[in-house]
Amino acid sequence: MDVRRLGGRIAAALRALAAGGSLMPIPSWVANGLAMISLVLSSCDLLRLCSDRDRRLLFPLRCREFVTVFCQLASILYLFGLCGTGIASANSETHACRDQGGSPDQTRAAADAPEALHDGVEDGDEEIVAAVVSGALPSHHLESRLGDCHRAARLRREALRRMTGRGVEGLPLDGMDYQAILGQCCEMPVGYVQIPVGVAGPLLLDGEQYHIPMATTEGCLVASVNRGCRAIAASGGAVSSLFRDAMSRAPVVKLPSIKRAAELKEFAEALTNFETLAAVFNRSSRFGKLQGINCALAGRNVYIRFTCSTGDAMGMNMVSKGVENVLGYLQTDFPDMDIISLSGNYCSDKKPAAVNWIEGCGKSVACEATVKGGVVQSVLKTTVQKLVELNIVKNLVGSAVAGALGGFNAHASNIVTALFIATGQDPAQNVESSQCLTMMEAVNDGCDLHISVTMPSIEVGTIGGGTCLTSQAACLNLLGVKGPNLDSPGENAKLLATIVAGSVLAGELSLMAALASGQLVKSHMKYNRSSKDVQGAAS
């Protein structure tokens, strides 16, 4: 064993003491100070012994001389080990940043992050897991420290098992591209959840056929939508109309007085200022275009609701950047304006709100179809009159009795959520996206059924978020809306919104028919109960 390695071992042992590895933890600065003091005192004593003719340094060493020589050698080895460790750390830091295409300055800027760990004899998986369990290495640093996202997820799973005493063996690990989700979809992954994807259709919508991918664990849902698609196709198809495309974000700001708050409202809503504010807003993206500004007052607080088009992206981040630009500009004329929050819930995102039901958010779509009376009887197993009456009593009056907010439908959220998960949308935005008004009436002298759904707040995109994942991208590709539309930006997201509305139309038609004919329980017993479950329950 060479001197450098011996010094490193001694330094590591003292650092372990300083880190609390013994019963009497010693701070590193105390250990370093003791080593320096020991070096100075032992050096002085050795010099005095060597210069004292009456007390020469003789072998074998007496007790005092032995202690002096031992302290001298130990201090030198300890300090030499510290220098070697520092040089090694600097070299590894330099090599690491060069391998990653960065500079040493950039690496030192992240000095608060833990030391880089790697596979090897001394720093293998066991040491990394132990560091995560002890808290020495934060779990969210694994990807950046290891440079291997799959390995990071694997070690995080093991650390989780040790910390909780419960494993996640049934949660799949392999088969997911963890590099694809890094910094985009999910932090600190330990696996992924399997959700079966069924395909309903074809849905005949606006003269085109679409096969609808639906990710769901509810039996009978895909079959129900499929039956609705069959009834619509047999009657000539459905027609959709997208009548609004505007994502919203509403910050809240506070002024010193109600008068100043009213002045800000007047300034922001003035048509003469719109072009200037739009130019400031539109700087954030070539696809984000400001469409309108509407303000609401609550005392000294002003809620400024911005709406803008966002191309093929769902666009929440896009509109948020534009809002920040405008707020910075407004502070020039209103320096006394205090920005409380970028979102003041007047947007309103991921919450049921009347403002979205009335003003809309994202894509506003209406979809209709006229289902022939013969199809109602042969495919849906009911009559036009029963469906019309049920829609009034259930979807309209029943929802009103319940005090529903945008919930004047049978189960729009079922279809929206299944499509959102399959195509990589934000599932939480099904709250506002599922707001739907279902209407039914008898037409053509009462022989046929006219059905429509009006959905004012469908928030979807074909780029960004979960749309980059392989499975979700495949479902978008099945619908013909994968990625951005290069010829006409924004058209893919608009088409996806109309497909969502058309699918909801099919789902509403089929479920209402099942209720009108009294077949709901029977169909769920057929499609939502396996023989395995029955046998298991019997045993």
Side-chain angles (χ1 to χ4, degrees):
M1 180 182 295
D2 58 19
V3 176
R4 178 185 290 269
R5 179 169 295 183
L6 177 61
R9 292 286 176 86
I10 296 173
L14 288 175
R15 282 198 302 274
L17 289 175
S22 70
L23 296 176
M24 298 180 62
I26 303 175
S28 59
W29 64 272
V30 173
N32 295 339
L34 290 175
M36 289 297 298
I37 293 173
S38 174
L39 178 64
V40 172
L41 292 179
S42 61
S43 298
C44 292
D45 200 32
L46 281 175
L47 287 173
R48 189 169 63 81
L49 286 173
C50 292
S51 62
D52 190 349
R53 296 180 179 180
D54 296 330
R55 293 188 61 187
R56 294 184 179 277
L57 190 63
L58 301 175
F59 295 93
L61 299 175
R62 288 172 292 181
C63 180
R64 177 182 174 183
E65 286 82 357
F66 178 80
V67 171
T68 300
V69 172
F70 178 80
C71 291
Q72 175 79 8
L73 291 175
S75 302
I76 292 174
L77 290 173
Y78 173 77
L79 295 173
F80 187 76
L82 284 181
C83 295
T85 303
I87 294 171
S89 298
N91 288 337
S92 64
E93 176 182 319
T94 303
H95 289 309
C97 70
R98 283 176 180 170
D99 291 341
Q100 297 172 5
S103 65
D105 291 338
Q106 291 172 329
T107 305
R108 283 191 293 270
D112 59 332
E115 282 187 28
L117 297 173
H118 53 82
D119 277 323
V121 177
E122 296 182 358
D123 293 323
D125 288 354
E126 181 62 34
E127 288 77 7
I128 298 171
V129 172
V132 174
V133 172
S134 67
L137 176 63
S139 179
H140 62 274
H141 283 166
L142 280 176
E143 280 79 8
S144 60
R145 295 303 93 192
L146 299 177
D148 184 340
C149 294
H150 185 278
R151 183 181 173 212
R154 176 170 56 82
L155 298 187
R156 185 178 290 114
R157 285 167 67 106
E158 176 59 21
L160 184 65
R161 185 189 66 79
R162 297 187 188 184
M163 289 187 288
T164 64
R166 293 179 292 274
V168 288
E169 287 76 14
L171 187 69
L173 174 68
D174 298 327
M176 167 66 72
D177 183 2
Y178 294 98
Q179 186 67 38
I181 70 175
L182 182 63
Q184 176 143 342
C185 296
C186 178
E187 297 75 41
M188 296 183 285
V190 294
Y192 59 95
V193 174
Q194 294 173 311
I195 301 180
V197 176
V199 177
L203 170 68
L204 183 57
L205 177 66
D206 299 322
E208 300 289 338
Q209 289 188 342
Y210 301 97
H211 292 268
I212 313 302
M214 302 176 66
T216 181
T217 57
E218 179 184 354
C220 209
L221 178 60
V222 178
S224 178
V225 174
N226 189 67
R227 183 173 73 150
C229 290
R230 187 153 49 96
I232 291 172
S235 300
V239 177
S240 68
S241 175
L242 190 146
F243 55 91
R244 188 190 296 116
D245 180 12
M247 180 53 67
S248 65
R249 175 60 88 194
V252 55
V253 299
K254 178 175 284 188
L255 280 296
S257 66
I258 291 178
K259 181 180 179 181
R260 286 290 287 164
E263 289 174 357
L264 174 60
K265 180 180 186 300
E266 182 181 1
F267 181 89
E269 292 181 340
L271 294 178
T272 54
N273 297 326
F274 180 78
E275 288 189 9
T276 301
L277 296 178
V280 174
F281 182 98
N282 296 343
R283 279 193 226 136
S284 62
S285 171
R286 61 194 180 100
F287 298 110
K289 303 300 179 184
L290 184 66
Q291 294 183 352
I293 301 175
N294 183 40
C295 300
L297 293 184
R300 297 185 296 151
N301 300 317
V302 184
Y303 298 81
I304 314 172
R305 193 171 195 259
F306 295 81
T307 54
C308 81
S309 59
T310 57
D312 283 310
M314 183 271 288
M316 188 56 74
N317 292 332
M318 190 184 301
V319 66
S320 295
K321 286 191 235 175
V323 166
E324 281 190 336
N325 291 344
V326 175
L327 291 178
Y329 176 83
L330 288 175
Q331 284 195 309
T332 303
D333 293 301
F334 295 88
D336 51 354
M337 179 181 75
D338 183 16
I339 301 173
I340 304 299
S341 173
L342 186 64
S343 174
N345 277 11
Y346 186 45
C347 312
S348 173
D349 187 36
K350 300 174 183 176
K351 292 165 284 291
V355 68
N356 288 339
W357 179 242
I358 298 170
E359 299 291 338
C361 185
K363 275 69 173 172
S364 299
V365 183
C367 189
E368 66 178 350
T370 300
V371 184
K372 297 176 181 178
V375 174
V376 172
Q377 293 180 357
S378 63
V379 177
L380 302 178
K381 311 301 182 184
T382 187
T383 65
V384 173
Q385 289 71 27
K386 285 184 177 181
L387 284 173
V388 171
E389 180 184 14
L390 177 62
N391 188 70
I392 294 172
V393 175
K394 170 183 165 63
N395 287 344
L396 304 184
V397 178
S399 297
V401 171
L405 181 59
F408 297 89
N409 58 80
H411 69 149
S413 179
N414 245 344
I415 294 90
V416 171
T417 305
L419 259 167
F420 270 29
I421 295 174
T423 58
Q425 311 305 310
D426 187 341
Q429 288 183 324
N430 88 89
V431 174
E432 60 268 38
S433 297
S434 297
Q435 290 185 326
C436 172
L437 173 62
T438 299
M439 299 285 290
M440 293 185 186
E441 59 181 307
V443 293
N444 300 330
D445 296 327
C447 296
D448 301 329
L449 175 74
H450 181 273
I451 178 174
S452 68
V453 293
T454 304
M455 306 178 68
S457 304
I458 302 177
E459 298 179 357
V460 293
T462 59
I463 58 175
T467 64
C468 69
L469 300 178
T470 304
S471 301
Q472 286 78 352
C475 291
L476 288 170
N477 187 59
L478 176 65
L479 294 171
V481 294
K482 178 184 174 182
N485 189 310
L486 301 179
D487 297 327
S488 183
E491 288 303 311
N492 280 0
K494 291 178 181 178
L495 177 56
L496 179 57
T498 62
I499 293 173
V500 170
S503 302
V504 169
L505 184 76
E508 290 288 279
L509 181 62
S510 184
L511 176 57
M512 292 294 285
L515 289 169
S517 62
Q519 297 296 308
L520 180 66
V521 174
K522 181 180 177 180
S523 62
H524 272 272
M525 289 303 101
K526 178 180 179 181
Y527 293 103
N528 207 191
R529 293 290 185 272
S530 70
S531 58
K532 283 195 303 182
D533 292 337
V534 175
Q535 293 169 0
S539 62

